[in-house]
Amino acid sequence: MSPLGLFTVLLGAALPLIDFFIVNVALPAIDRDLSAGPAMLELVVGGYGVSYAVLLVLGGRLGDMAGRRRLFLIGMAAFGLTSLACGLAPTAWTLVGARVAQGAAAAMMLPQVLATIQATTQGPRRARAMSLYGATAGLSMVAGQILGGVLVAADVAGSGWRAVFLVNVPVVILGLVLAARAVPETRSDRPASVDVPGTLLLGLSLVSLLLPLTEGRATGWPLWTWVSFAVFPFAATAFYLTERRADRLGRTPLVPPSLLRLDSLRRGLVMVVPFSIGFSGFMFVVAVALQQGLLMGPVAAGLALVPMAVSFFAASLAGPSLIGRFGSRVVTAGGVLQALGLCLLLLAVLRDWPGLGLAGLAPGVALAGLGQGLQLPVLMRMMLSDVPADRAGVGGGVMVTTQQSALALGVATLGSLFLALTPALGMRDALAITLLVQLALVALTALLSLRLPRVMR
């Protein structure tokens, strides 16, 4: 794949992740304009995340069957149209529906990125491309929140919060033109049919867990949330047994248990869950705390994360050479640096609130970003290092589904914890407790990294 082709697929990888976080700083403006209310705002964030997570593995399978470039083009075009629908939404319910559709479009597009990289590169070129993918993923999550603040404040042509969605349209048009010219077509040599029972059971499992976690606090934990939680373990067990049986019969299940026997993939998935829960929870809580607690505007709330973006990008660029010298201990060092950054941030919150400003936030945020940049790109590269090329779509789908589900869990759990504690404890103490929980997740990730093979390919 040419450098232009790699740039194009990385652009496609950036868009869905930017859009997961870009709405965080736009939520107050959406609430004012559409009279959305807390439960509806949770759906604006969670509806996208749930549909995205549920359909990712299916998107990877369809790309293996019908052609990854074709699905990438279809997914990107659909992402542009649904972004336009979000930007023009006249009511809160319309916006939620458009966001759910946007998540489905992202699920068609994103798995093709990893699968195309796996199928068209090898050796050092693949390692470099995967490192760039990891850097793009992490930077997009931070940049989305920064960009959201700038666009809301800029109020381009009176568009207000709508600009955070409408900005995708020209980017998608550019991406479609580039993809038609520069992205090669690939597909699996042994395409398998869609695993309908597996798809339905995976969807039921994720929805029964993520939807009540997303909506429960805002709606007062009604009966349906507890019924949904009760369904989850049965749906998850049925999904695993169905997939194992299909694997034993020689079929190709949606998530082959044999694929999870790959040590690099399995260990990476276990680590990416606490990392992603902490990351997304932190981004959501910080957006709320800065705007509602410190009364910062959307631009200032976005600018507060610029040191994180800069240090993350620098660490991502240094990662490949550091891996060559120190192996998997780079991930451990990243966890330690991230923990130190969170400690600095916690001290700043306890010491300076409510006079905490950008200068007080910067050291902790920058150090946390440096640590994250040493972890995420390396983990993503490692997870797919042993996946066969003909199963690249499935492997990429499993990895991104796990990451996306964990991102949604982070907003639902850490976000709900913070919002539930705030009325009783005040925003400063609620933020401090949430940072301590994230610190525990970072410590878990660092400890798990000690079990990684020392030498990494």
Side-chain angles (χ1 to χ4, degrees):
M1 183 164 53
S2 68
L4 182 60
L6 179 60
F7 169 81
T8 305
V9 294
L10 291 179
L11 179 65
L15 282 172
L17 290 168
I18 286 174
D19 259 60
F20 185 88
F21 290 93
I22 201 170
V23 298
N24 283 348
V25 291
L27 291 176
I30 294 172
D31 189 16
R32 287 192 302 270
D33 191 25
L34 301 182
S35 301
M40 200 65 68
L41 291 176
E42 295 271 10
L43 277 177
V44 170
V45 178
Y48 175 86
V50 171
S51 68
Y52 184 20
V54 164
L55 296 172
L56 271 165
V57 179
L58 178 61
R61 172 62 57 83
L62 292 174
D64 287 348
M65 292 172 54
R68 291 152 187 158
R69 176 174 171 271
R70 178 183 297 176
L71 260 291
F72 182 80
L73 288 167
I74 292 172
M76 181 170 275
F79 192 84
L81 291 173
T82 52
S83 296
L84 181 63
C86 289
L88 300 178
T91 66
W93 274 113
T94 309
L95 177 58
V96 169
R99 282 285 282 172
V100 171
Q102 190 186 35
M108 282 194 289
M109 176 171 59
L110 188 60
Q112 319 317 324
V113 175
L114 287 166
T116 300
I117 290 173
Q118 290 287 96
T120 59
T121 60
Q122 55 186 348
R125 289 184 64 221
R126 178 182 292 178
R128 184 167 58 253
M130 286 303 302
S131 294
L132 286 171
Y133 174 85
T136 300
L139 194 59
S140 298
M141 291 188 279
V142 182
Q145 209 143 302
I146 298 170
L147 179 62
V150 172
L151 288 172
V152 172
D155 194 20
V156 181
S159 58
W161 61 266
R162 298 177 187 275
V164 304
F165 301 113
L166 296 176
V167 71
N168 291 333
V169 177
V171 178
V172 162
I173 292 172
L174 173 64
L176 290 172
V177 172
L178 294 178
R181 296 182 56 189
V183 175
E185 180 64 283
T186 62
R187 68 185 71 205
S188 174
D189 294 332
R190 296 175 295 166
S193 59
V194 173
D195 175 14
V196 176
T199 300
L200 293 176
L201 286 170
L202 176 63
L204 179 61
S205 301
L206 291 175
V207 169
S208 63
L209 176 64
L210 296 177
L211 190 59
L213 280 174
T214 300
E215 280 294 288
R217 184 201 61 83
T219 55
W221 301 105
L223 178 62
W224 71 263
T225 59
W226 301 108
V227 172
S228 186
F229 281 133
V231 168
F232 169 70
F234 296 100
T237 302
F239 171 69
Y240 173 73
L241 294 175
T242 300
E243 299 300 273
R244 187 177 67 175
R245 182 173 182 274
D247 215 9
R248 287 177 173 175
L249 292 175
R251 303 172 189 156
T252 306
L254 191 70
V255 180
S258 57
L259 197 64
L260 298 179
R261 286 198 287 269
L262 294 173
D263 198 47
S264 55
L265 179 62
R266 186 178 65 255
R267 291 189 181 187
L269 291 176
V270 170
M271 289 183 62
V272 86
V273 169
F275 178 91
S276 299
I277 288 174
F279 190 102
S280 63
F282 172 84
M283 298 294 282
F284 177 80
V285 167
V286 164
V288 175
L290 295 185
Q291 292 186 91
Q292 296 184 9
L294 298 179
L295 302 180
M296 290 185 180
V299 172
L303 289 177
L305 296 174
V306 168
M308 176 179 282
V310 172
S311 60
F312 187 103
F313 186 64
S316 299
L317 293 179
S321 60
L322 291 174
I323 293 168
R325 292 184 60 187
F326 303 108
S328 64
R329 293 300 174 260
V330 171
V331 180
T332 310
V336 172
L337 289 173
Q338 186 184 0
L340 290 174
L342 288 174
C343 288
L344 287 178
L345 190 57
L346 179 61
L347 288 174
V349 167
L350 294 174
R351 183 186 64 232
D352 299 332
W353 193 279
L356 184 60
L358 297 183
L361 290 166
V365 168
L367 194 57
L370 187 67
Q372 290 165 343
L374 291 176
Q375 294 174 81
L376 186 61
V378 177
L379 285 176
M380 288 188 163
R381 169 179 162 181
M382 179 196 75
M383 279 187 276
L384 296 181
S385 60
D386 296 323
V387 176
D390 65 333
R391 304 176 94 179
V394 177
V398 170
M399 184 189 79
V400 181
T401 296
T402 303
Q403 182 196 24
Q404 184 60 39
S405 300
L407 289 175
L409 271 175
V411 174
T413 54
L414 293 186
S416 294
L417 173 67
F418 171 73
L419 294 173
L421 291 174
T422 296
L425 301 179
M427 198 160 285
R428 187 198 75 158
D429 291 347
L431 177 58
I433 291 173
T434 308
L435 288 173
L436 286 172
V437 173
Q438 192 198 358
L439 192 60
L441 292 170
V442 172
L444 175 60
T445 306
L447 288 173
L448 288 171
S449 72
L450 296 175
R451 299 186 64 237
L452 295 175
R454 188 65 182 266
V455 178
M456 300 185 70
R457 288 184 291 162

